[in-house]
């Protein structure tokens, strides 16, 4: 049982997120998604989410590739998360390339996947405002 983990806000869920989750799940058998809480988004990522944590969690739990959704409350929890959830592989989009290589020291494979081009929550909001 190969266990994979990934992190994100996943607000205004779109096909770029789905592509990431699909490819992450394909790297193992069980996918843990660590979902940024509203507080973490606002205080640490300066992101104002359209959907609340509970709404974003429900959306993610409805995705066939996702096995478990847990909260992301700070930048430091990754080291403990990978131990607590017996993670084999950590996956993020390549906008984060290199940022989490320290997890290799925990015996975790670190994989950065190409982002899906042209789609982003920011783009969606801009297009809707036109
Ligand atoms: N993503 C993607 N293609 C896009 C948009 C997003 O592959 N067009 C990926 C991102 O690279 C990320 C995941 O989808 O791996 C979630 O994206 P966000 O919700 O924007 O996540 P982010 O705000 O980068 O949070 O501790 C890490 C942070 O929580 C990551």
């Amino acid at each position: 049982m190969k266990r994979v983990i990934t992190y994100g806000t996943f607000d205004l869920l779109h096909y770029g997120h789905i592509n990431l989750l699909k490819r992450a799940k394909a790297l193992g058998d069980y996918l843990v998604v660590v979902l940024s809480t509203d507080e973490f988004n606002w205080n640490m990522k300066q992101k104002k989410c359209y959907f609340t944590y509970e709404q974003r969690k429900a959306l993610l739990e409805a995705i066939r590739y996702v096995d478990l959704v847990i909260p992301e409350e700070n930048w430091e929890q990754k080291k403990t998360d990978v131990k607590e959830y017996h993670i084999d592989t950590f996956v993020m989009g390549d906008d984060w390339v290199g940022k989490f290589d320290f997890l290799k020291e925990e015996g975790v494979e670190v994989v950065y996947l190409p982002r899906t081009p042209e789609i982003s929550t920011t783009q969606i909001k801009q297009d809707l405002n036109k």
Side-chain angles (χ1 to χ4, degrees), residues 7-10 14 16-17 20 23 36 45 47 72 75 78 92-93 95-96 100 114-116 119:
Y7 292 70
T9 298
F10 297 100
H14 56 68
H17 297 133
L20 189 285
R23 287 176 292 162
S36 308
K45 294 163 84 172
K47 283 189 175 185
E72 178 182 31
W75 291 113
K78 294 182 176 65
M92 286 302 292
D95 45 320
W96 292 93
F100 304 115
R115 278 173 70 92
T116 302
I119 183 76

Side-chain angles (χ1 to χ4, degrees), residues 38-104:
D38 297 330
E39 297 75 17
F40 179 58
N41 273 311
W42 183 242
N43 298 329
M44 306 303 286
K45 294 163 84 172
Q46 289 72 48
K47 283 189 175 185
K48 178 88 181 78
C49 288
Y50 181 79
F51 290 124
T52 66
Y53 174 81
E54 287 307 322
Q55 290 166 334
R56 290 181 287 119
K57 181 171 186 280
L59 285 162
L60 284 171
E61 286 172 339
I63 298 169
R64 67 176 63 194
Y65 310 118
V66 176
D67 295 290
L68 177 68
V69 180
I70 59 170
E72 178 182 31
E73 292 162 316
N74 58 67
W75 291 113
E76 294 70 37
Q77 69 184 79
K78 294 182 176 65
K79 264 191 178 178
T80 48
D81 289 347
V82 296
K83 287 196 189 75
E84 188 175 341
Y85 291 90
H86 312 290
I87 298 299
D88 301 290
T89 304
F90 170 94
V91 177
M92 286 302 292
D94 61 5
D95 45 320
W96 292 93
V97 66
K99 296 287 190 306
F100 304 115
D101 290 354
F102 62 86
L103 289 170
K104 292 176 185 172

Side-chain angles (χ1 to χ4, degrees), residues 12 118-130:
L12 295 194
E118 281 105 46
I119 183 76
S120 69
T121 301
T122 308
Q123 188 66 53
I124 295 170
K125 289 176 179 174
Q126 283 170 358
D127 290 352
L128 289 175
N129 280 331
K130 279 175 188 163

